[in-house]
Amino acid sequence: MTVLSLDYPDPSLFGHDPWWLILGKALAVFVFLILTPLIAILAERKVMARMQMRIGPNRVGPGGMLQSLADGVKLALKEGITPKGVDKPIYLLAPIIAAVPAFMAFAVIPFGPEVSILGHRTALQLTDLPVAVLYVLAVTSVGVYGIILAGWASGSTYPLLGGLRSTAQVISYEIAMALSFAAVFLHAGTMSTSGIVAAQDRIWYVFLLLPSFLIYVTSMVGETNRAPFDLPEAEGELVGGFHTEYSSLKFAMFMLAEYVNMVTVSALATTLFLGGWHAPWPFNMWEGANTGWLPVLWFTLKVWGFLFVFIWLRGTLPRLRYDQFMNMGWKILIPVSLVWIMIVATVRAFRNDGYDFWPVALVTAGVTLGLVVLAMLWARLRRSRTRASGEAAQSHTGGDTPAARPFDPMAGGFPVPPMPGQRTPVPPRTPVAVGRSAGSARTNKEDSDV
């Protein structure tokens, strides 16, 4: 039988700490959010080098441990270049708007239970609200304005396209993320982060609300503009995306905002679905695993597990096409979220009426919904492959298909990329110069072979 401590934070404790304790906790959160990106950047470069059979950074410091610090100093000492045609106030304000909300969102994340600090009983959490998770959702949404304004204020085409992509991306995946939160609210009966963690003292919501967890994990990768969803800064098509015209510390602020956002969404996933600071099995069978300062270790390990997933995805998956990315958000994540919310609400109603089968019902419904979605995706993939093979066969026989019809990328005056199934015409070969002798042609061929 699992023995757990009942030493949960009392909501009445928040707001009554002495000023020096509030300042100390705020400083601890800030230092944690500054140091974690430095370590995460180094870990990302090391792990991806290992995945790609490379060495990675190994020159600065022992084993390359000071590489992130050296990169930060290098960015700070670089000359800050401001292009001539920018909207200067907004151009300078955009990196700050992108970075500050990432720090603000961590104010309601619980690190651990109540502890005693210099004789004062306090929770390892800066503050809590009755609508704490909605506060995180609102603050992280404000951070995206930094990306949008950076693209608009740069006065350049490609940053503007990156800002527009970011707008559509946030609208699409913010809805799916909010719907995954709604299932947690319904089941836990509270929007307080400390209350949600307390409700997972016996079983984590990753098991009871598996579809919500999968939807949130997908949405959080899209929200942080990380591969394979890093379309606002796609180097292959947008040069560098929304931060093309930024340099020095202004560029460093965007990099810091990206990694702090990764830590924030990972901490929120830990809080909502992995039991927060609760110890994992089998450590939770020890009575002291969830008391004192030890829960901070469990919380940090879970956050780093999500950070490793971010790195893993970047080193494994290629960037999605923009239409694939938007289809996933609007046609898969949002409809599945709505269906799952209805299921969770129904189970919650039976639970309120005193029925005891609700855990089995939730797990069964979650697994069934996941299998149905996988079957639909598999059927859609097979249909697309069959259609592509049919179009290819008809194009060889001269049929009227998008692949067979000629495609002119400059027909409307702008260079337009081909749609799926369309191909740009192959340019004709350069004819061989008239008068070339057979001997010279043979000599050229022999030279090329050599």
Side-chain angles (χ1 to χ4, degrees):
M1 180 178 178
T2 304
V3 180
L4 295 172
S5 172
L6 299 178
D7 198 15
Y8 298 115
D10 185 0
S12 62
L13 289 176
F14 298 106
H16 301 287
D17 291 330
W19 67 268
W20 58 266
L21 188 54
I22 297 175
L23 183 62
K25 290 197 289 186
L27 183 62
V29 171
F30 180 77
V31 171
F32 176 79
L33 291 178
I34 289 293
L35 293 180
T36 302
L38 291 177
I39 303 173
I41 293 172
L42 177 64
E44 181 172 15
R45 297 178 67 177
K46 286 283 191 180
V47 171
M48 289 185 63
R50 181 72 175 176
M51 290 178 176
Q52 299 166 356
M53 293 187 292
R54 297 184 289 106
I55 297 176
N58 63 345
R59 297 294 182 183
V60 185
M65 293 178 60
L66 300 179
Q67 183 65 55
S68 298
L69 183 61
D71 291 340
V73 173
K74 177 190 71 174
L75 285 173
L77 297 179
K78 279 191 172 223
E79 180 184 1
I81 301 173
T82 302
K84 186 176 180 181
V86 302
D87 189 332
K88 194 168 183 179
I90 300 178
Y91 175 83
L92 297 177
L93 192 62
I96 302 174
I97 297 176
V100 170
F103 288 88
M104 294 175 59
F106 228 85
V108 295
I109 300 296
F111 281 82
E114 295 179 17
V115 295
S116 179
I117 300 178
L118 298 179
H120 290 272
R121 195 74 175 169
T122 183
L124 289 177
Q125 182 177 356
L126 185 57
T127 187
D128 199 3
L129 301 169
V131 289
V133 184
L134 295 184
Y135 162 79
V136 175
L137 194 63
V139 168
T140 53
S141 300
V142 171
V144 184
Y145 283 98
I147 297 176
I148 299 170
L149 293 176
W152 180 82
S154 294
S156 181
T157 302
Y158 291 117
L160 178 61
L161 292 176
L164 292 175
R165 282 187 177 186
S166 179
T167 306
Q169 184 167 330
V170 169
I171 292 174
S172 303
Y173 282 76
E174 198 82 30
I175 297 174
M177 181 180 287
L179 291 175
S180 67
F181 289 168
V184 177
F185 302 157
L186 282 172
H187 188 73
T190 179
M191 296 184 187
S192 166
T193 50
S194 59
I196 292 173
V197 172
Q200 300 179 70
D201 59 341
R202 296 188 178 277
I203 183 169
W204 295 351
Y205 286 168
V206 66
F207 304 110
L208 293 178
L209 305 174
L210 181 60
S212 294
F213 173 73
L214 297 177
I215 292 168
Y216 176 79
V217 169
T218 306
S219 300
M220 78 179 189
V221 179
E223 283 288 296
T224 52
N225 299 331
R226 292 282 300 183
F229 301 150
D230 55 339
L231 293 164
E233 48 182 321
E235 298 87 353
E237 54 205 273
L238 297 180
V239 183
F242 61 91
H243 53 61
T244 301
E245 306 294 345
Y246 283 87
S247 60
S248 188
L249 279 178
K250 297 186 289 293
F251 175 77
M253 291 282 283
F254 281 117
M255 292 295 295
L256 178 65
E258 176 180 328
Y259 280 89
V260 173
N261 275 321
M262 288 168 53
V263 179
T264 301
V265 296
S266 300
L268 191 59
T270 299
T271 301
L272 296 181
F273 298 102
L274 294 188
W277 45 262
H278 285 120
W281 186 88
F283 300 102
N284 59 352
M285 303 187 71
W286 170 41
E287 185 177 356
N290 291 319
T291 57
W293 294 87
L294 194 57
V296 178
L297 174 63
W298 311 131
F299 177 84
T300 307
L301 290 177
K302 293 175 186 179
V303 169
W304 271 100
F306 282 105
L307 293 178
F308 175 76
V309 171
F310 276 109
I311 299 171
W312 192 2
L313 291 175
R314 180 175 180 180
T316 305
L317 298 178
R319 182 180 293 124
L320 268 69
R321 237 179 26 231
Y322 191 68
D323 60 319
Q324 295 173 335
F325 177 70
M326 298 304 290
N327 284 336
M328 179 183 294
W330 288 100
K331 296 182 180 180
I332 297 177
L333 296 184
I334 294 177
V336 171
S337 298
L338 293 173
V339 173
W340 177 242
I341 287 175
M342 295 299 297
I343 295 174
V344 173
T346 303
V347 174
R348 177 71 182 185
F350 281 109
R351 178 184 175 185
N352 292 339
D353 290 338
Y355 292 94
D356 296 331
F357 63 86
W358 60 267
V360 179
L362 270 181
V363 173
T364 305
V367 173
T368 304
L369 183 61
L371 293 176
V372 170
V373 172
L374 288 177
M376 293 172 60
L377 291 175
W378 177 252
R380 187 173 182 177
L381 179 62
R382 291 192 62 182
R383 285 198 303 270
S384 62
R385 288 181 176 177
T386 304
R387 183 167 58 249
S389 60
E391 290 175 353
Q394 291 186 19
S395 64
H396 286 299
T397 59
D400 186 17
T401 64
R405 290 194 295 268
F407 170 72
D408 184 7
M410 297 295 296
F414 276 94
V416 179
M419 295 295 289
Q422 292 179 330
R423 295 183 180 179
T424 54
V426 179
R429 292 186 177 182
T430 305
V432 180
V434 180
R436 176 181 293 181
S437 63
S440 63
R442 183 172 59 250
T443 304
N444 292 339
K445 182 179 185 302
E446 290 172 356
D447 292 341
S448 64
D449 291 340
V450 173

